Amino acid sequence: TVTTKTSALPNSGSGMILPSFKIEGKKGNFSVDASAKIGKFVTGKEQTFKLRGEDVGIVKSIEVTAGNSDGWFFEWISVANSKTHENIRFNNPFSAKTKNRYLSTDTKEGAATLRMTTQTQ
């Protein structure tokens, strides 16, 4: 299960970011295109959705990649392992003060891919 928190700052939400996720753990990793599971990210809201994949064990990192240039600024992404009930939260490495803080395929807005690890928390 993945839960996201979109920033409450104006223009943080996205209706077309079309994200994909790669979740890495001690036992392996899996990637999933989540664009069909997520309608849009709403400014200031938490949203939860299920990703199906193999058990990766203890989650070590998450990589999120934009599929579109409709920028999204999230505060954090949380990954819960349904077998172990472990819940790991990854904070966005960009701050609200960062000019190009969005996840977007348009690199003028930010980064197309963000990888966050448990070591950087």
Side-chain angles (χ1 to χ4, degrees), residues 86-98:
E86 170 196 39
N87 192 14
I88 303 290
R89 185 163 135 172
F90 299 93
N91 294 315
N92 190 329
F94 294 136
S95 75
K97 295 178 182 177
T98 305

Side-chain angles (χ1 to χ4, degrees), residues 14-117:
S14 175
M16 289 295 296
I17 195 64
L18 308 174
S20 61
F21 294 91
K22 179 178 182 181
I23 298 172
E24 299 174 339
K26 285 195 173 194
K27 293 163 73 175
N29 63 66
F30 77 91
S31 297
V32 62
D33 177 355
S35 58
K37 296 184 178 292
I38 304 166
K40 64 181 181 176
F41 293 101
V42 180
T43 299
K45 300 290 183 183
E46 286 185 26
Q47 292 166 262
T48 300
F49 51 95
K50 294 198 182 282
L51 298 179
R52 298 214 185 270
E54 60 192 70
D55 180 15
V56 298
I58 296 171
V59 175
K60 297 172 82 174
S61 70
I62 185 170
E63 184 175 282
V64 58
T65 301
N68 198 323
S69 63
D70 185 24
W72 173 45
F73 180 48
F74 63 91
E75 290 182 11
W76 50 261
I77 297 173
S78 176
V79 179
N81 183 314
S82 61
K83 290 187 178 185
T84 65
H85 303 290
E86 170 196 39
N87 192 14
I88 303 290
R89 185 163 135 172
F90 299 93
N91 294 315
N92 190 329
F94 294 136
S95 75
K97 295 178 182 177
T98 305
K99 181 179 178 186
N100 300 326
R101 63 181 174 254
Y102 295 92
L103 180 70
S104 174
T105 57
D106 182 350
T107 55
K108 293 178 192 140
E109 292 182 337
T113 299
L114 287 174
R115 184 172 185 272
M116 298 161 284
T117 67

